[in-house]
Amino acid sequence: MNPDQHIRLLQLAYANVLADAVLQMTIEGVLERVTERKRQEQIEQGAAKAANFGITSPEDVFTALGTAFGCTTWTVTPRGDGVEAETGSCLLCALAKQKGADSPCRLYCLDPMVGMVKGLDPGAEMKVHETLWNGSACRVEVRRLKGTH
């Protein structure tokens, strides 16, 4: 097995573990509580997590995490005072659906991204327009809040 194949195998195993964790939290009825508790943790630790991944801009949040975890490939487009990101597929979302779990989107993807974006720029806001859980794409935008330049 070459190094790229080995990395892909590890990414698939990781996505399966996350999907199974969401299934177990769904079965136990604790997913929403855990997600809310972890959201605050993600915001508090966002700057450190971004630094650990070498992330220095909102664009990097999407590209670096997509590369590291292999769940999706984001198309990132600069727009005015921010960026828009979109993807049409997500391995974790697909695996969670196959297992019958509830949505993993906030717990394992969106909230960590929000934490990193805010860790890089406390004046930034990340808005989710659509996710693959209920829609045909995952579409988000990152903008600077007015008056925080």
Side-chain angles (χ1 to χ4, degrees), residues 43-104:
I43 290 172
E44 291 168 3
Q45 298 175 4
K49 288 185 179 189
N52 287 341
F53 282 98
I55 294 171
T56 59
S57 71
E59 295 93 332
D60 290 349
V61 170
F62 299 97
T63 57
L65 295 180
T67 299
F69 296 109
C71 281
T72 193
T73 301
W74 292 92
T75 300
V76 182
T77 308
R79 297 270 192 248
D81 60 349
V83 298
E84 292 181 2
E86 183 172 336
T87 186
S89 65
C90 175
L91 177 62
L92 178 56
C93 192
L95 290 170
K97 284 182 179 184
Q98 286 175 356
K99 292 177 182 293
D102 285 346
S103 172

Side-chain angles (χ1 to χ4, degrees), residues 32-143:
E32 188 173 326
R33 284 192 315 244
V34 170
T35 299
E36 288 306 317
R37 187 171 52 237
K38 292 292 289 180
R39 178 178 174 76
Q40 185 58 39
E41 178 184 303
Q42 297 292 356
I43 290 172
E44 291 168 3
Q45 298 175 4
K49 288 185 179 189
N52 287 341
F53 282 98
I55 294 171
T56 59
S57 71
E59 295 93 332
D60 290 349
V61 170
F62 299 97
T63 57
L65 295 180
T67 299
F69 296 109
C71 281
T72 193
T73 301
W74 292 92
T75 300
V76 182
T77 308
R79 297 270 192 248
D81 60 349
V83 298
E84 292 181 2
E86 183 172 336
T87 186
S89 65
C90 175
L91 177 62
L92 178 56
C93 192
L95 290 170
K97 284 182 179 184
Q98 286 175 356
K99 292 177 182 293
D102 285 346
S103 172
C105 302
R106 283 193 50 220
L107 180 61
Y108 289 129
C109 186
L110 298 172
D111 288 352
M113 287 180 173
V114 168
M116 288 184 220
V117 165
K118 288 195 165 293
L120 292 168
D121 181 357
E125 170 183 88
M126 190 170 116
K127 182 177 181 181
V128 178
H129 292 282
E130 178 182 15
T131 69
L132 283 160
W133 193 258
N134 293 317
S136 61
C138 190
R139 293 186 312 107
V140 300
E141 69 176 305
V142 176
R143 299 277 186 255

